[in-house]
Each structure stands twice: as structure tokens, then as C-alpha cells.
Amino acid sequence: MPKLWEALLTLAILILALAVGIIHYEVDPHVPMFVGVCAAALMAMRLGYKWGEIEKFMLDGIYKALQSCCILIIVGILIGVWINAGVVPSMIYYGLKVLHPSIFFIATVIICSITSLATGTSWGTMGTMGVALMGIGFGLGMNPAMTAGAILSGAYFGDKMSPLSDTTNLAPAMAGTDVMSHVKAMLVPTVTVYGIVLVIFGILGATQYHGGSADMSRVTEFASALNAAEGGMFAINPLLLLPPVIVIVAVALKIPAIPGITLGIVAGAVLGVIFQNNCDLGTIFDYGINGFYFSDEILGELSSALSSDTYDTMTTLLHETGGIMNMMFSVSMTIIAMMFGGIMEDTHQLEVVVDKLKRLAKTPASLVALTEVTCVISNATMPEQYISIVVPGRMYAEEYKKMDLHPTVLSSSLEGAGTVTSALIPWNTCGVFIATTLGISAAQYAPFAFFNWMMPLATILFAYMGFTLKDLNNKPYKKKKEAAWQ
């Protein structure tokens, strides 16, 4: 086992490299993250591990994230194909016609909540409805960071509460309870935070939108630029809304994410060939790998035909969006991050830090708080959402039993931070996916992802208030039991 200072030194080098690279030099996190990998590998050598073992640790870490990498690649194909086929433009067009700016943020949270509850996937929600809602927000002149925050709040609420979600099944599996008991245990704090989030976004919507005619004229111009019938770029048709419905239904029917998303790609490609003049097998292959893009000639036409605001909206949202190659940023970041995570887990460097932290847990509520902190640290240092549930779950399960706490207390604590804070870490697989898919950085959207950063705080608060603490008989945890345990 490594000494505490050895593990802390590795973490310090990683944090320093990321801070200098991202904050001071404003570069992407890939190479700073690789500096952390080098530090972890050198420390492993100091601890006596041979290079062959260290390499295996890295590969094991990468293997745990291969499904995420596959989904990233397939979502990249989906976005490129859906834009070319007119699916995303149709979603944006009809959304512009229906959603009013004053209720846009609340509607965004609710739409993403319903989609994520039905499918159990925040990534699928953000890659489909999220992309369209970002476009609608652009068209309505809404703050893109606020829009992304509303998308995340809804997507992660559904992901956290849906029995179909992989994290909602993983957390109780780590804690030793069943899914429905786990969901029930999360209900009070999660719904409370969700209600607060809706109020906040209602206020933001009312304050950002002032009812000016200029905003609505921009909406009209952007909608026309999308619709070929009004002189725009794409044939708009209600049938083009079918592919996202197919994806939602497929995942709701428990078809795995990869074949479910692939069905959406196939449906989009077929409808694109039917409705779009410039959509054929060649463009499907092209946009699937390179993402959708406008030719220089079309960009010139758009620039002369549209106002500067609408032109910027059109190109920001659609130009060079999606495709396998654009997702390689996310895939490469995921691979490097998991190289670091694999070494840190298999050489027990994070474990010694957590073992030291265990001594701070003097009461059941403080154990919940420690679990939340550990999940956040895991998301930052072994940057994969599943690891932030598995590792703390394994480490603390026995401690919860010793304190006579029901397993649902642990499972809800794991989800209260492990699932939701992954989106707030720029180099976490979730943070990278969101930045690539929605086109906005974690630093921009994080302040408005209210559900994601309020949830762990609420989990801790409700534990200290005693509302969510249950004993092994699933009865309210009494003060006398706490005194007896101490």
C-alpha cells in the first residue's frame, strides 16, 4: 500500500498540471491530464510495480470506458446524419414555433426530464433533445450557458430517478439493495431540489426575456433560414421527428443504448434520402465521419442573405457539428483520463486517501457527507461516472453497516454526488461528452447546472436533518442509536 503522502503527491501533480494548463494557458486538458498519468506511473514504479503491470492497469482503466467511447462515436454519427437528414432542423423549427422565450428554460428542464426518465440515459437525452433545444435557445436569443444548464438539470434528474438508468441500477448493486427501494429513498431530496431548480429557471426565463419585438423577429428569420419552403436550407416535415421518437422508444423498451441509437441513425438516414434533395449515401457517409458542414459557397450565400446574428446562430449550431472526427476530442480525453484512473485504482493510491478520510466520519450524517466528497474526488481523479459510484460504494459499504444504516442510505448518497457531479468536471468523460455534444464548455454551463451542484448539498443537508437516515430495519434512524454507536 502506498503512503498517504505518495498518493497526495500524485494528485497534487495532476491538479497542478490541469490548473496551469486550463486556467493559465487556456489549453485543452488532454496533455495536462497525460502529465498526471506520467506522475501516477512513476509513483507506481516507486511502489514496486513493474512496467508490464502498470500498462495493464492503464488498459484495464480504458476497458471500463470502452462502452462510453463507443457511444461517443455513434452519437457523433447520429448528430451528423440527423442534421443532414433535416431531423435536427425540424426539431428546432417546430420548437421555435411552440416554445415561448419566457417559458423556454422551464420547458427545457421538463422536456429533458421526461425524455431521460423514459429512456434512463442522460447522454441519449443530451445527444438528441439537448442538441435541438440548444438550437431553439439560439434561435430565441437565450443565453446558451443557461440553456445547457437547463438541459443538464432535466437530463440528470431523469437519469438519477429512472429505474432504466444504468447508474440507478449500479448504485443499489454496490450498496446491497434493490432498485425501487433506492429510488424511493432518493425521492424527497431529489424532488425538493428539482422544484427549486424549476423556480430558478422560471425566474431566469422571465428576467432574460423582456418581450421585445427584436427577439421574435430573430426567431422568425432563423426559422425561415431552416425551412426550404420559406427559402431556407432544409425540407421540414413532421415525419422527420420520428427518429428521436424511435430512439426514446427503443431505450424505453430496454434495447441497449448502442443498438437503440443506431436505429435512430438508420431511421434518420432513410428519411433524409426521402425528404432532402442533397441527402444520399455519399453525404451520409461523409457527414457521419466529418460532421455536417456548409460549403464555402453556401456560407457566402448565408452571410449575404441573413443578419449577422442569425448567420452566427446558424453556423455555430450546424456548421462542423457532429461526426466521428469531432467526437475524437472526447474519445481521446476519455482514454487518457481512464489511463490515470486505472493506475490510481489498481495501485490503491486513492484508497489510502479515503481510508484517512474515514476517521472524520464520527456520525451517520458525517459519513454521508464524506461519501459525497469522495464521489466528487473520484469524478475528478478517476474521471468516469461509474467509477465514482463503484469505488466509494465498495469502500464505505462496511462502514454503513457498522453504523446500523440501511443500504439505501449509501446508494442514495452515491447517486447524490457520483452521478450528477460528473458533468461538472471538464475532464470527466461526462463533462467532455457534454462540451462536445452541446458545444459549450463546463466552465460556462456549470454555474447554471443547478440540479447537478445542488443535489450533493441537499443530500448532506437532509442527512444532517435526519430525514433520509434509516436503520437496517428501514425505520427512521433515532438519536439514541447514534449515541449507542458512538
Side-chain angles (χ1 to χ4, degrees):
M1 292 293 288
K3 297 181 177 65
L4 179 63
W5 72 265
E6 292 171 324
L8 291 176
L9 179 60
T10 303
L11 294 175
I13 293 172
L14 170 70
I15 293 169
L16 181 63
L18 289 169
V20 171
I22 296 172
I23 299 173
H24 182 69
Y25 291 108
E26 298 182 351
V27 299
D28 293 324
H30 297 62
V31 177
M33 190 78 218
F34 184 69
V35 173
V37 174
C38 295
L42 289 172
M43 186 58 71
M45 287 181 168
R46 171 186 165 78
L47 294 171
Y49 293 96
K50 303 298 183 184
W51 173 250
E53 295 174 296
I54 297 169
E55 189 175 73
K56 182 177 184 300
F57 297 159
M58 290 190 291
L59 294 176
D60 288 344
I62 294 170
Y63 179 78
K64 293 173 184 175
L66 280 181
Q67 184 188 41
S68 298
C69 291
C70 292
I71 292 174
L72 280 166
I73 291 170
I74 296 171
V75 167
I77 298 172
L78 177 137
I79 294 172
V81 170
W82 275 16
I83 295 176
N84 179 45
V87 175
V88 172
S90 292
M91 294 168 71
I92 295 171
Y93 179 83
Y94 290 117
L96 289 172
K97 297 297 184 182
V98 173
L99 291 178
H100 193 272
S102 61
I103 63 166
F104 172 72
F105 290 138
I106 290 181
T108 296
V109 175
I110 293 173
I111 289 169
C112 290
S113 299
I114 293 171
T115 304
S116 194
L117 277 168
T119 62
T121 167
S122 56
W123 282 30
T125 299
M126 291 182 286
T128 52
M129 297 306 301
V131 172
L133 287 163
M134 284 298 293
I136 296 168
F138 271 114
L140 294 173
M142 310 307 282
N143 184 321
M146 292 182 186
T147 303
I151 292 168
L152 263 67
S153 293
Y156 275 91
F157 168 79
D159 191 340
K160 187 174 184 291
M161 297 302 293
S162 174
L164 303 175
S165 168
D166 45 8
T167 58
T168 308
N169 284 272
L170 182 61
M174 290 298 102
T177 187
D178 63 279
V179 175
M180 296 315 297
S181 296
H182 167 61
V183 171
K184 184 179 178 181
M186 295 191 294
L187 199 59
V188 173
T190 305
V191 171
T192 301
V193 171
Y194 188 71
I196 295 171
V197 168
L198 288 176
V199 171
I200 293 173
F201 277 116
I203 295 171
L204 287 176
T207 55
Q208 174 153 5
Y209 174 67
H210 304 292
S213 59
D215 288 332
M216 298 315 294
S217 65
R218 180 183 175 186
V219 171
T220 302
E221 183 183 20
F222 183 47
S224 298
L226 291 171
N227 192 353
E230 300 173 20
M233 297 295 303
F234 303 93
I236 303 296
N237 192 289
L239 287 176
L240 289 168
L241 302 178
L242 187 59
V245 173
I246 290 174
V247 173
I248 292 171
V249 171
V251 181
L253 292 175
K254 298 187 178 181
I255 295 176
I258 290 175
I261 296 171
T262 303
L263 284 175
I265 295 172
V266 173
V270 171
L271 290 174
V273 171
I274 294 172
F275 288 102
Q276 308 298 332
N277 292 329
N278 62 340
C279 184
D280 54 30
L281 190 60
T283 60
I284 291 169
F285 289 161
D286 183 14
Y287 296 139
I289 187 168
N290 296 312
F292 181 84
Y293 59 89
F294 295 117
S295 65
D296 292 338
E297 180 182 353
I298 292 177
L299 285 174
E301 293 176 0
L302 291 174
S303 179
S304 60
L306 303 174
S307 66
S308 59
D309 283 345
T310 304
Y311 174 80
D312 289 342
T313 299
M314 178 76 82
T315 53
T316 299
L317 181 66
L318 301 179
H319 186 52
E320 298 181 350
T321 300
I324 293 175
M325 298 311 298
N326 287 324
M327 282 296 179
M328 284 299 107
F329 178 97
S330 301
V331 172
S332 59
M333 184 66 240
T334 299
I335 290 173
I336 297 171
M338 295 312 297
M339 290 166 63
F340 178 83
I343 297 174
M344 291 298 290
E345 182 176 13
D346 290 344
T347 60
H348 309 287
Q349 293 188 59
L350 184 64
E351 185 178 337
V352 296
V353 177
V354 174
D355 282 341
K356 185 66 69 172
L357 290 173
K358 282 181 183 179
R359 301 176 187 178
L360 302 175
K362 303 297 185 183
T363 65
S366 64
L367 181 59
V368 170
L370 179 59
T371 305
E372 302 299 277
V373 171
T374 306
C375 289
V376 175
I377 293 173
S378 298
N379 266 323
T381 58
M382 298 189 298
E384 163 58 49
Q385 185 183 60
Y386 302 123
I387 292 181
S388 71
I389 293 174
V390 172
V391 173
R394 289 202 304 249
M395 290 180 176
Y396 291 129
E398 192 60 32
E399 296 297 316
Y400 277 77
K401 288 181 182 177
K402 288 179 181 178
M403 291 195 186
D404 195 34
L405 289 168
H406 195 272
T408 55
V409 181
L410 172 57
S411 66
S412 58
S413 300
L414 295 173
E415 280 243 80
T419 297
V420 297
T421 61
S422 58
L424 305 178
I425 310 295
W427 53 88
N428 189 281
T429 53
C430 294
V432 173
F433 173 83
I434 294 163
T436 307
T437 303
L438 301 184
I440 187 166
S441 69
Q444 293 173 292
Y445 67 67
F448 302 103
F450 298 112
F451 182 83
N452 298 68
W453 59 259
M454 288 173 65
M455 198 61 244
L457 299 177
T459 302
I460 295 171
L461 177 62
F462 275 72
Y464 273 101
M465 295 171 67
F467 293 162
T468 55
L469 296 180
K470 304 288 184 181
D471 63 20
L472 287 174
N473 295 318
N474 206 21
K475 302 295 183 182
Y477 199 91
K478 302 296 184 183
K479 287 292 184 181
K480 60 181 181 181
K481 288 190 176 182
E482 183 173 309
W485 177 83
Q486 289 178 321

